[in-house]
Every structure is written in C-alpha cells, then in structure tokens.
Amino acid sequence: MSGVKLESIFKCYGNLEVVHGIDLEVQEKEFVVLVGPSGCGKSTTLRMIAGLEEITDGTISIDGREVNRVAPKDRDVAMVFQNYALYPHLKVFENIAFGLRIRKESKEHIAKTVAEVSEILGLTPYLDRKPAELSGGQRQRVAMGRAIVRHPKVFLFDEPLSNLDAKLRTQMRAEIKRLHKRLGATSVYVTHDQVEAMTLADRIVVMNDGYIEQIGTPMELFTNPANTFVASFIGSPPMNQLPGVIDVTSDGKKATVNDVTFTLPDHINVENGQAVVIGMRPEHFSISPVDGASTIPVSLNLVEPLGSEALLHTSIGEHALVVKTETHGAIDHLSNVQHLYAPANLVSVFDAESGLALTGSHN
Ligand SMILES: Nc1ncnc2c1ncn2[C@@H]1O[C@H](COP(=O)(O)OP(=O)(O)OP(=O)(O)O)[C@@H](O)[C@H]1O
Ligand SMILES: [Mg+2]
C-alpha cells in the first residue's frame, strides 16, 4: 500500500507557523492535487512529504511506515520540480539514468530502462542532446523520465508545468494524465492553477493560509463547495457571490439581493432575516426571453465572445454577475439580455458571517 498519510502536521519557520495541523490521506495509486493561492503552504507540505523540510509536529507515513526521521533518499519518493533541475553537462540519456547509476544498476538494466521510459515520453530522438539543446517541454519530460526510472513509491510534483507556455502546458497536462493512467503511481501534485487541478486530480485538496479548506473530487468541489473560499477558487470564471437576506415564505425559501428574489433549494438550513451569500455558477444561469415571476432582472454591461461560448458581464444594482452561455455561432441576440433564470436546485447558499455552506448536497 504505497499511500501517504499526514496526521496533524504543523510547520513553523522560527516563530512563524505556516502550516496549522493538516490531515490528509492519499490512497495507493491516487492522484491528489494540492491547490491554493501563493504562500498557502503547498510547497512546504510537499517538501515535508519528500523529507526536504523538517516537520515541526505531527506524523507522516509512506506505505504504512512512519518516515518523520527517514532521510529523503530513503523515503522512496521522486520529486519533479518547476525548474526541472537537470544536470546541464550530461546528455539526456545520462540525466535519465542518473538515479540508476547511483544505485549501481547493471549496464544492461540501465540501457533497457532508459530506452523504455524514453519511448513512453517521446524522448528517444533526443537521448544524445544536452538539456540546453531542448525545448522547455522536452526538458520537463526528461525531468519526469528521471523520476519514472526509479520506480518510486510516490511521485511528488511541484508546479512542473508553470514554466511552459499555455499551449505546451495543456499538452503536457494531458501527457501527465496519460502517464498516470499507465503507471498508476501514487502522486501528489502541487499547482495554483485550478484548471490543472480539475483536469488531473482524483481528489483535490484546497489549501488557504496553511489550512485545508476542503478535500473532494473535482465535481464535489465544483458542485458542493464547503465555503465561499472554495466556491471562488474552483471554477472559471468563479462562482458569483451576492449578499442576500433570507425570506422564508409559505411557498418556499427565498433570498433577496437588492430587490431581486432568488428561489432557494428547500433542504437548506436558514432562518428568516439571516444574512447570507448567494452563490451561482456562471454556467448555471439560463437566459430568459421574457420577464417572468421567477426571473432575475439584470443590467447588461458587456458581452465577451469566446467562440463557442460567451461571457455576459451583468449586474444587479452594484453587484456584478457573470454569466457563461453557449453562442451556437451567433452573439447578436445576447446584447438584448435583460432577464436571467437561476434554477433553485443550482443555487448555493453560504452564511454571510462564517462563509460556510448552508446548502445540503445538490443531487
Ligand atoms: N524557508 C522559509 N523561511 C521562512 N518562511 C518560509 C520559508 N519557506 C516558506 N516560507 C513561508 O511559508 C509560507 C508557505 O510557503 P510555500 O512555499 O509553502 O507556499 P506555496 O503555497 O508553495 O506558494 P507558491 O504558490 O507561491 O509557490 C509562505 O508564507 C512563505 O513565505
Ligand atoms: Mg510553491
């Protein structure tokens, strides 16, 4: 069982506590992504798993064995960094083979393993080149090759794609996903890019300021964010959040934002007059052709065409509201939008003070 378990992990630099007692269990073969804003403690957490950073308190286990005091080289983990960390004077072949040479593997074994891994990564034509003669994406593949040949129990990635341009990043993202399917290796992957997190992860861990805000599958976090932080971090554009006041009426639960009424799901736990934040994903609105009893009147400020979709920048009073809609090739009609429809079962409700979700789960 090559899982990773973090129990009540704290990290202090001097007097400054930057990780505040986090718990996380990564299952064998699982791909877990740590995501969160800059400085939230992602790299620190990853480096503690690798053994490159001492933990201040708590327990880390790999494969069921406590590794708190085990040296990095004896933890059987391989780490891939943002800056590749290749040896510039060595050819690609030797860069990939490096860990095997250290282990004093046989010449035949090294040749066979490097050949296999280079084939998987599309590096076979480049084995005689030095890192300086490669593109960024090829260098990143060499760094991954070097990790793969070691057959580690756990792969650790710290923003491995952030030095690449947008197109190459998308391509490498797909390659990492394919590679994980093929190798099935337990992986912990750090990024601040929520799209990368959504596309790669079996489960996402959203971190903020040294705490874990929520752990769940990409769809769980998208559909049922535990709080306003997760709601605004996952999804692009993020979930709209509007301040509202609860009105429990004989025909259901509602919230008013300025003078506009949102119908809410029945199963939420709210009181009359409670201050809340209404959350609605840009893609969950539909455009209503007419002014109806349950429609939301908005002012349209800007239409941003993106090709197959368009973003409508609208507002309710002073509150901005972004809507994402399919264009079906035409956008002229969008400049007349005045009314939206927000299906009650897709509205999220958070307590205004704590930011915690008041909705039960959407089904
Ligand atoms: N060696 C250090 N000494 C003191 N403080 C540190 C040290 N390394 C990191 N920190 C602090 O610990 C906090 C977490 O840093 P960390 O590098 O883990 O963030 P991160 O989530 O990886 O951010 P980024 O997305 O910018 O890489 C930050 O506030 C950072 O300033
Ligand atoms: Mg970092």
Side-chain angles (χ1 to χ4, degrees), residues 246-306:
I246 294 292
D247 185 15
V248 180
T249 68
S250 52
D251 68 345
K253 292 167 181 161
K254 320 223 178 237
T256 49
V257 176
N258 290 13
D259 287 334
V260 176
T261 302
F262 283 75
T263 306
L264 306 179
D266 248 347
H267 54 80
I268 59 170
N269 196 6
V270 288
E271 290 166 20
N272 223 346
Q274 186 175 352
V276 294
V277 172
I278 300 299
M280 189 68 193
R281 295 252 171 234
E283 41 284 270
H284 286 165
F285 285 103
S286 42
I287 291 166
S288 174
V290 288
D291 184 5
S294 56
T295 59
I296 295 159
V298 292
S299 313
L300 179 65
N301 307 316
L302 179 72
V303 177
E304 238 184 325
L306 303 172

Short mmCIF file of all heavy atoms in Angstrom, two decimals, residues 246-306:
data_model
loop_
_atom_site.label_atom_id
_atom_site.label_comp_id
_atom_site.label_asym_id
_atom_site.label_seq_id
_atom_site.Cartn_x
_atom_site.Cartn_y
_atom_site.Cartn_z
N ILE A 246 -32.40 36.28 3.86
CA ILE A 246 -33.35 35.17 3.74
C ILE A 246 -34.78 35.60 4.04
O ILE A 246 -35.03 36.36 4.98
CB ILE A 246 -32.94 34.02 4.71
CG1 ILE A 246 -31.62 33.41 4.29
CG2 ILE A 246 -34.05 32.96 4.81
CD1 ILE A 246 -31.65 32.63 2.99
N ASP A 247 -35.68 35.07 3.23
CA ASP A 247 -37.10 35.31 3.41
C ASP A 247 -37.79 33.95 3.30
O ASP A 247 -37.87 33.39 2.21
CB ASP A 247 -37.56 36.26 2.27
CG ASP A 247 -39.00 36.68 2.44
OD1 ASP A 247 -39.55 36.48 3.54
OD2 ASP A 247 -39.56 37.20 1.45
N VAL A 248 -38.22 33.42 4.47
CA VAL A 248 -38.89 32.11 4.44
C VAL A 248 -40.38 32.37 4.27
O VAL A 248 -41.01 32.97 5.13
CB VAL A 248 -38.61 31.31 5.72
CG1 VAL A 248 -39.30 29.96 5.67
CG2 VAL A 248 -37.11 31.13 5.94
N THR A 249 -40.95 31.96 3.15
CA THR A 249 -42.36 32.25 2.86
C THR A 249 -43.14 30.94 2.83
O THR A 249 -42.55 29.86 2.89
CB THR A 249 -42.50 32.92 1.48
OG1 THR A 249 -42.15 31.94 0.49
CG2 THR A 249 -41.61 34.13 1.35
N SER A 250 -44.46 31.08 2.72
CA SER A 250 -45.29 29.87 2.70
C SER A 250 -45.01 29.04 1.45
O SER A 250 -45.18 27.84 1.44
CB SER A 250 -46.77 30.25 2.77
OG SER A 250 -47.02 31.20 1.75
N ASP A 251 -44.56 29.72 0.38
CA ASP A 251 -44.26 28.89 -0.80
C ASP A 251 -42.76 28.73 -1.05
O ASP A 251 -42.29 28.78 -2.17
CB ASP A 251 -45.02 29.37 -2.04
CG ASP A 251 -44.57 30.72 -2.54
OD1 ASP A 251 -43.87 31.44 -1.81
OD2 ASP A 251 -44.88 31.06 -3.65
N GLY A 252 -42.02 28.58 0.04
CA GLY A 252 -40.61 28.20 -0.13
C GLY A 252 -39.63 29.20 0.44
O GLY A 252 -40.00 30.25 0.96
N LYS A 253 -38.35 28.81 0.34
CA LYS A 253 -37.28 29.65 0.86
C LYS A 253 -36.74 30.53 -0.25
O LYS A 253 -36.47 30.06 -1.36
CB LYS A 253 -36.17 28.77 1.44
CG LYS A 253 -36.62 28.03 2.68
CD LYS A 253 -35.68 26.93 3.09
CE LYS A 253 -36.22 26.23 4.33
NZ LYS A 253 -35.63 24.91 4.54
N LYS A 254 -36.57 31.79 0.08
CA LYS A 254 -36.08 32.75 -0.93
C LYS A 254 -34.98 33.60 -0.31
O LYS A 254 -34.82 33.64 0.91
CB LYS A 254 -37.22 33.68 -1.38
CG LYS A 254 -38.53 32.96 -1.54
CD LYS A 254 -39.23 33.40 -2.79
CE LYS A 254 -40.53 32.63 -2.96
NZ LYS A 254 -40.62 31.93 -4.20
N ALA A 255 -34.25 34.30 -1.17
CA ALA A 255 -33.30 35.30 -0.69
C ALA A 255 -33.43 36.52 -1.57
O ALA A 255 -33.60 36.40 -2.79
CB ALA A 255 -31.88 34.76 -0.75
N THR A 256 -33.39 37.70 -0.95
CA THR A 256 -33.44 38.91 -1.76
C THR A 256 -32.06 39.55 -1.82
O THR A 256 -31.37 39.68 -0.81
CB THR A 256 -34.46 39.93 -1.24
OG1 THR A 256 -34.22 40.09 0.16
CG2 THR A 256 -35.88 39.47 -1.45
N VAL A 257 -31.69 39.92 -3.03
CA VAL A 257 -30.43 40.63 -3.28
C VAL A 257 -30.87 41.95 -3.88
O VAL A 257 -31.46 41.98 -4.95
CB VAL A 257 -29.57 39.85 -4.29
CG1 VAL A 257 -28.31 40.63 -4.61
CG2 VAL A 257 -29.24 38.46 -3.77
N ASN A 258 -30.61 43.07 -3.18
CA ASN A 258 -31.28 44.34 -3.50
C ASN A 258 -32.78 44.03 -3.51
O ASN A 258 -33.28 43.48 -2.55
CB ASN A 258 -30.78 44.93 -4.81
CG ASN A 258 -29.35 45.43 -4.69
OD1 ASN A 258 -28.67 45.13 -3.70
ND2 ASN A 258 -28.88 46.19 -5.65
N ASP A 259 -33.49 44.28 -4.62
CA ASP A 259 -34.93 43.96 -4.62
C ASP A 259 -35.21 42.69 -5.41
O ASP A 259 -36.36 42.37 -5.68
CB ASP A 259 -35.72 45.13 -5.23
CG ASP A 259 -35.76 46.29 -4.26
OD1 ASP A 259 -35.66 46.03 -3.04
OD2 ASP A 259 -35.85 47.44 -4.72
N VAL A 260 -34.17 41.98 -5.78
CA VAL A 260 -34.35 40.82 -6.66
C VAL A 260 -34.45 39.55 -5.83
O VAL A 260 -33.69 39.37 -4.88
CB VAL A 260 -33.16 40.73 -7.64
CG1 VAL A 260 -33.26 39.49 -8.49
CG2 VAL A 260 -33.09 41.99 -8.50
N THR A 261 -35.39 38.68 -6.19
CA THR A 261 -35.62 37.46 -5.41
C THR A 261 -35.02 36.24 -6.08
O THR A 261 -35.25 36.00 -7.27
CB THR A 261 -37.14 37.24 -5.24
OG1 THR A 261 -37.68 38.40 -4.62
CG2 THR A 261 -37.42 36.03 -4.38
N PHE A 262 -34.24 35.47 -5.32
CA PHE A 262 -33.74 34.17 -5.76
C PHE A 262 -34.53 33.10 -5.03
O PHE A 262 -34.68 33.17 -3.81
CB PHE A 262 -32.26 33.99 -5.42
CG PHE A 262 -31.32 34.72 -6.33
CD1 PHE A 262 -31.16 36.10 -6.24
CD2 PHE A 262 -30.57 34.02 -7.27
CE1 PHE A 262 -30.27 36.76 -7.07
CE2 PHE A 262 -29.67 34.69 -8.10
CZ PHE A 262 -29.52 36.06 -8.01
N THR A 263 -35.02 32.11 -5.75
CA THR A 263 -35.66 30.97 -5.10
C THR A 263 -34.57 29.97 -4.72
O THR A 263 -33.68 29.69 -5.52
CB THR A 263 -36.66 30.31 -6.07
OG1 THR A 263 -37.54 31.34 -6.52
CG2 THR A 263 -37.46 29.23 -5.37
N LEU A 264 -34.64 29.47 -3.48
CA LEU A 264 -33.56 28.62 -2.96
C LEU A 264 -34.01 27.18 -2.86
O LEU A 264 -35.22 26.90 -2.78
CB LEU A 264 -33.14 29.12 -1.58
CG LEU A 264 -32.77 30.60 -1.50
CD1 LEU A 264 -32.40 30.98 -0.07
CD2 LEU A 264 -31.61 30.92 -2.43
N PRO A 265 -33.06 26.25 -2.80
CA PRO A 265 -33.44 24.85 -2.60
C PRO A 265 -34.11 24.69 -1.24
O PRO A 265 -33.76 25.41 -0.30
CB PRO A 265 -32.12 24.09 -2.66
CG PRO A 265 -31.04 25.08 -2.79
CD PRO A 265 -31.60 26.44 -2.91
N ASP A 266 -35.02 23.75 -1.13
CA ASP A 266 -35.82 23.59 0.09
C ASP A 266 -35.04 23.05 1.27
O ASP A 266 -35.34 23.34 2.42
CB ASP A 266 -36.99 22.63 -0.20
CG ASP A 266 -38.30 23.39 -0.16
OD1 ASP A 266 -38.29 24.54 0.32
OD2 ASP A 266 -39.32 22.82 -0.62
N HIS A 267 -34.01 22.24 0.96
CA HIS A 267 -33.34 21.50 2.03
C HIS A 267 -32.33 22.31 2.81
O HIS A 267 -31.67 21.79 3.69
CB HIS A 267 -32.67 20.24 1.45
CG HIS A 267 -31.76 20.55 0.31
ND1 HIS A 267 -30.49 21.01 0.51
CD2 HIS A 267 -31.95 20.50 -1.03
CE1 HIS A 267 -29.91 21.22 -0.67
NE2 HIS A 267 -30.79 20.91 -1.62
N ILE A 268 -32.17 23.60 2.51
CA ILE A 268 -31.15 24.35 3.24
C ILE A 268 -31.67 24.78 4.61
O ILE A 268 -32.87 24.90 4.84
CB ILE A 268 -30.68 25.59 2.47
CG1 ILE A 268 -31.85 26.52 2.18
CG2 ILE A 268 -29.96 25.19 1.20
CD1 ILE A 268 -31.41 27.85 1.64
N ASN A 269 -30.69 24.99 5.48
CA ASN A 269 -30.99 25.26 6.88
C ASN A 269 -30.80 26.75 7.15
O ASN A 269 -29.70 27.19 7.43
CB ASN A 269 -29.99 24.42 7.69
CG ASN A 269 -30.43 24.29 9.10
OD1 ASN A 269 -31.52 24.74 9.46
ND2 ASN A 269 -29.56 23.72 9.92
N VAL A 270 -31.89 27.54 7.01
CA VAL A 270 -31.77 29.00 7.17
C VAL A 270 -32.93 29.55 8.00
O VAL A 270 -33.96 28.90 8.15
CB VAL A 270 -31.76 29.72 5.81
CG1 VAL A 270 -30.45 29.49 5.08
CG2 VAL A 270 -32.94 29.29 4.94
N GLU A 271 -32.73 30.77 8.50
CA GLU A 271 -33.79 31.43 9.28
C GLU A 271 -34.18 32.73 8.60
O GLU A 271 -33.35 33.36 7.94
CB GLU A 271 -33.26 31.79 10.68
CG GLU A 271 -33.02 30.60 11.56
CD GLU A 271 -32.20 30.99 12.78
OE1 GLU A 271 -32.15 32.20 13.12
OE2 GLU A 271 -31.59 30.08 13.36
N ASN A 272 -35.42 33.13 8.85
CA ASN A 272 -35.90 34.39 8.31
C ASN A 272 -34.97 35.54 8.73
O ASN A 272 -34.58 35.62 9.88
CB ASN A 272 -37.30 34.66 8.86
CG ASN A 272 -38.21 35.16 7.76
OD1 ASN A 272 -37.74 35.54 6.69
ND2 ASN A 272 -39.50 35.17 8.03
N GLY A 273 -34.61 36.39 7.79
CA GLY A 273 -33.80 37.57 8.13
C GLY A 273 -32.30 37.30 8.16
O GLY A 273 -31.50 38.22 8.34
N GLN A 274 -31.90 36.03 8.02
CA GLN A 274 -30.47 35.69 8.08
C GLN A 274 -29.69 36.31 6.91
O GLN A 274 -30.16 36.27 5.77
CB GLN A 274 -30.33 34.15 8.05
CG GLN A 274 -28.91 33.67 8.26
CD GLN A 274 -28.85 32.14 8.34
OE1 GLN A 274 -29.88 31.45 8.38
NE2 GLN A 274 -27.64 31.61 8.36
N ALA A 275 -28.53 36.85 7.22
CA ALA A 275 -27.67 37.40 6.16
C ALA A 275 -26.88 36.26 5.53
O ALA A 275 -26.23 35.49 6.23
CB ALA A 275 -26.72 38.43 6.74
N VAL A 276 -26.97 36.15 4.22
CA VAL A 276 -26.32 35.04 3.51
C VAL A 276 -25.54 35.55 2.30
O VAL A 276 -25.63 36.73 1.94
CB VAL A 276 -27.35 33.99 3.01
CG1 VAL A 276 -28.02 33.29 4.18
CG2 VAL A 276 -28.37 34.63 2.08
N VAL A 277 -24.78 34.64 1.71
CA VAL A 277 -24.18 34.91 0.41
C VAL A 277 -24.79 33.89 -0.55
O VAL A 277 -24.79 32.69 -0.28
CB VAL A 277 -22.64 34.74 0.46
CG1 VAL A 277 -22.04 34.83 -0.93
CG2 VAL A 277 -22.02 35.77 1.39
N ILE A 278 -25.35 34.40 -1.64
CA ILE A 278 -25.94 33.54 -2.66
C ILE A 278 -24.85 33.21 -3.67
O ILE A 278 -24.17 34.11 -4.17
CB ILE A 278 -27.05 34.31 -3.42
CG1 ILE A 278 -28.15 34.74 -2.47
CG2 ILE A 278 -27.63 33.49 -4.56
CD1 ILE A 278 -28.82 33.59 -1.81
N GLY A 279 -24.68 31.93 -3.96
CA GLY A 279 -23.66 31.53 -4.92
C GLY A 279 -24.29 30.91 -6.15
O GLY A 279 -25.17 30.05 -6.04
N MET A 280 -23.86 31.37 -7.31
CA MET A 280 -24.42 30.84 -8.56
C MET A 280 -23.31 30.76 -9.60
O MET A 280 -22.65 31.75 -9.89
CB MET A 280 -25.54 31.79 -9.00
CG MET A 280 -26.37 31.29 -10.14
SD MET A 280 -27.39 29.86 -9.70
CE MET A 280 -27.86 29.33 -11.34
N ARG A 281 -23.10 29.58 -10.14
CA ARG A 281 -22.07 29.41 -11.17
C ARG A 281 -22.46 30.13 -12.46
O ARG A 281 -23.65 30.07 -12.86
CB ARG A 281 -21.88 27.92 -11.49
CG ARG A 281 -21.35 27.13 -10.31
CD ARG A 281 -19.92 26.74 -10.54
NE ARG A 281 -19.33 26.16 -9.35
CZ ARG A 281 -18.20 26.58 -8.78
NH1 ARG A 281 -17.53 27.58 -9.30
NH2 ARG A 281 -17.71 26.01 -7.71
N PRO A 282 -21.50 30.75 -13.15
CA PRO A 282 -21.80 31.46 -14.40
C PRO A 282 -22.51 30.56 -15.42
O PRO A 282 -23.39 31.01 -16.15
CB PRO A 282 -20.42 31.87 -14.92
CG PRO A 282 -19.56 31.95 -13.72
CD PRO A 282 -20.08 30.90 -12.77
N GLU A 283 -22.14 29.25 -15.42
CA GLU A 283 -22.72 28.36 -16.44
C GLU A 283 -24.09 27.82 -16.04
O GLU A 283 -24.72 27.12 -16.83
CB GLU A 283 -21.76 27.24 -16.83
CG GLU A 283 -20.96 26.55 -15.75
CD GLU A 283 -19.76 27.35 -15.23
OE1 GLU A 283 -18.66 27.24 -15.77
OE2 GLU A 283 -19.97 28.09 -14.24
N HIS A 284 -24.55 28.12 -14.83
CA HIS A 284 -25.83 27.57 -14.38
C HIS A 284 -27.03 28.49 -14.62
O HIS A 284 -28.16 28.09 -14.43
CB HIS A 284 -25.76 27.21 -12.88
CG HIS A 284 -24.95 25.96 -12.63
ND1 HIS A 284 -24.49 25.62 -11.39
CD2 HIS A 284 -24.55 24.99 -13.48
CE1 HIS A 284 -23.81 24.47 -11.48
NE2 HIS A 284 -23.84 24.08 -12.74
N PHE A 285 -26.77 29.71 -15.04
CA PHE A 285 -27.89 30.60 -15.39
C PHE A 285 -28.41 30.21 -16.76
O PHE A 285 -27.65 29.75 -17.61
CB PHE A 285 -27.43 32.05 -15.49
CG PHE A 285 -27.17 32.71 -14.17
CD1 PHE A 285 -25.87 32.89 -13.72
CD2 PHE A 285 -28.22 33.16 -13.38
CE1 PHE A 285 -25.62 33.51 -12.51
CE2 PHE A 285 -27.97 33.79 -12.17
CZ PHE A 285 -26.68 33.97 -11.72
N SER A 286 -29.71 30.41 -16.97
CA SER A 286 -30.13 30.42 -18.37
C SER A 286 -30.72 31.78 -18.66
O SER A 286 -31.09 32.53 -17.76
CB SER A 286 -31.09 29.28 -18.68
OG SER A 286 -32.02 29.13 -17.65
N ILE A 287 -30.75 32.07 -19.95
CA ILE A 287 -31.23 33.39 -20.35
C ILE A 287 -32.72 33.30 -20.61
O ILE A 287 -33.18 32.41 -21.32
CB ILE A 287 -30.47 33.86 -21.60
CG1 ILE A 287 -29.02 34.13 -21.20
CG2 ILE A 287 -31.11 35.08 -22.23
CD1 ILE A 287 -28.08 34.26 -22.35
N SER A 288 -33.46 34.19 -19.98
CA SER A 288 -34.91 34.14 -20.12
C SER A 288 -35.35 35.18 -21.14
O SER A 288 -34.95 36.34 -21.06
CB SER A 288 -35.54 34.42 -18.76
OG SER A 288 -36.92 34.50 -18.90
N PRO A 289 -36.14 34.77 -22.10
CA PRO A 289 -36.56 35.72 -23.13
C PRO A 289 -37.55 36.76 -22.60
O PRO A 289 -37.70 37.83 -23.16
CB PRO A 289 -37.21 34.84 -24.20
CG PRO A 289 -37.58 33.58 -23.49
CD PRO A 289 -36.66 33.42 -22.32
N VAL A 290 -38.24 36.40 -21.51
CA VAL A 290 -39.29 37.31 -21.02
C VAL A 290 -39.11 37.57 -19.52
O VAL A 290 -38.40 36.87 -18.83
CB VAL A 290 -40.70 36.71 -21.22
CG1 VAL A 290 -41.08 36.70 -22.68
CG2 VAL A 290 -40.75 35.31 -20.62
N ASP A 291 -39.81 38.63 -19.06
CA ASP A 291 -39.83 38.95 -17.64
C ASP A 291 -40.90 38.07 -17.00
O ASP A 291 -42.07 38.20 -17.29
CB ASP A 291 -40.20 40.44 -17.52
CG ASP A 291 -40.17 40.90 -16.08
OD1 ASP A 291 -39.77 40.10 -15.22
OD2 ASP A 291 -40.51 42.07 -15.85
N GLY A 292 -40.48 37.13 -16.16
CA GLY A 292 -41.46 36.23 -15.54
C GLY A 292 -41.39 36.30 -14.04
O GLY A 292 -40.53 37.00 -13.48
N ALA A 293 -42.26 35.56 -13.37
CA ALA A 293 -42.35 35.61 -11.91
C ALA A 293 -41.03 35.22 -11.26
O ALA A 293 -40.62 35.81 -10.27
CB ALA A 293 -43.45 34.68 -11.44
N SER A 294 -40.34 34.22 -11.83
CA SER A 294 -39.12 33.76 -11.17
C SER A 294 -37.86 34.14 -11.93
O SER A 294 -36.83 33.51 -11.80
CB SER A 294 -39.19 32.25 -10.99
OG SER A 294 -39.41 31.65 -12.25
N THR A 295 -37.94 35.17 -12.76
CA THR A 295 -36.72 35.59 -13.48
C THR A 295 -36.02 36.71 -12.70
O THR A 295 -36.60 37.35 -11.83
CB THR A 295 -37.03 36.08 -14.90
OG1 THR A 295 -37.94 37.16 -14.81
CG2 THR A 295 -37.62 34.96 -15.75
N ILE A 296 -34.77 36.90 -13.06
CA ILE A 296 -33.92 37.87 -12.37
C ILE A 296 -33.58 38.99 -13.35
O ILE A 296 -32.90 38.75 -14.35
CB ILE A 296 -32.64 37.17 -11.89
CG1 ILE A 296 -33.00 36.12 -10.85
CG2 ILE A 296 -31.62 38.16 -11.35
CD1 ILE A 296 -31.94 35.07 -10.69
N PRO A 297 -34.08 40.21 -13.07
CA PRO A 297 -33.73 41.31 -13.98
C PRO A 297 -32.30 41.78 -13.75
O PRO A 297 -31.87 41.94 -12.62
CB PRO A 297 -34.73 42.42 -13.58
CG PRO A 297 -35.17 42.08 -12.20
CD PRO A 297 -34.94 40.62 -11.96
N VAL A 298 -31.55 41.95 -14.83
CA VAL A 298 -30.16 42.40 -14.72
C VAL A 298 -29.88 43.51 -15.73
O VAL A 298 -30.60 43.66 -16.71
CB VAL A 298 -29.16 41.24 -14.99
CG1 VAL A 298 -29.20 40.21 -13.90
CG2 VAL A 298 -29.39 40.61 -16.36
N SER A 299 -28.82 44.27 -15.47
CA SER A 299 -28.32 45.21 -16.49
C SER A 299 -27.13 44.55 -17.16
O SER A 299 -26.26 44.02 -16.49
CB SER A 299 -27.82 46.51 -15.84
OG SER A 299 -28.75 46.97 -14.91
N LEU A 300 -27.13 44.60 -18.50
CA LEU A 300 -26.01 44.00 -19.24
C LEU A 300 -24.97 45.08 -19.51
O LEU A 300 -25.27 46.15 -20.04
CB LEU A 300 -26.54 43.43 -20.57
CG LEU A 300 -25.48 42.81 -21.47
CD1 LEU A 300 -24.85 41.58 -20.83
CD2 LEU A 300 -26.10 42.44 -22.82
N ASN A 301 -23.73 44.80 -19.11
CA ASN A 301 -22.67 45.80 -19.28
C ASN A 301 -21.73 45.47 -20.44
O ASN A 301 -21.20 46.37 -21.08
CB ASN A 301 -21.85 45.91 -18.00
CG ASN A 301 -22.75 46.16 -16.79
OD1 ASN A 301 -23.67 46.97 -16.86
ND2 ASN A 301 -22.50 45.44 -15.70
N LEU A 302 -21.51 44.17 -20.69
CA LEU A 302 -20.52 43.79 -21.71
C LEU A 302 -20.74 42.35 -22.13
O LEU A 302 -21.03 41.50 -21.30
CB LEU A 302 -19.12 43.94 -21.09
CG LEU A 302 -17.92 43.58 -21.96
CD1 LEU A 302 -17.72 44.64 -23.04
CD2 LEU A 302 -16.65 43.49 -21.10
N VAL A 303 -20.60 42.09 -23.44
CA VAL A 303 -20.61 40.71 -23.94
C VAL A 303 -19.20 40.38 -24.40
O VAL A 303 -18.62 41.11 -25.19
CB VAL A 303 -21.59 40.55 -25.13
CG1 VAL A 303 -21.53 39.12 -25.67
CG2 VAL A 303 -23.01 40.92 -24.71
N GLU A 304 -18.65 39.29 -23.88
CA GLU A 304 -17.29 38.88 -24.25
C GLU A 304 -17.37 37.56 -25.01
O GLU A 304 -17.54 36.51 -24.40
CB GLU A 304 -16.48 38.64 -22.96
CG GLU A 304 -15.24 39.45 -22.82
CD GLU A 304 -14.47 39.09 -21.57
OE1 GLU A 304 -15.06 38.76 -20.52
OE2 GLU A 304 -13.25 39.10 -21.64
N PRO A 305 -17.26 37.58 -26.35
CA PRO A 305 -17.36 36.31 -27.09
C PRO A 305 -16.06 35.51 -26.96
O PRO A 305 -14.98 36.07 -27.07
CB PRO A 305 -17.57 36.77 -28.53
CG PRO A 305 -17.19 38.19 -28.59
CD PRO A 305 -17.03 38.73 -27.20
N LEU A 306 -16.21 34.20 -26.71
CA LEU A 306 -15.02 33.33 -26.60
C LEU A 306 -15.04 32.25 -27.67
O LEU A 306 -14.32 31.28 -27.58
CB LEU A 306 -15.01 32.65 -25.22
CG LEU A 306 -15.04 33.52 -23.98
CD1 LEU A 306 -15.22 32.67 -22.73
CD2 LEU A 306 -13.77 34.34 -23.87
#
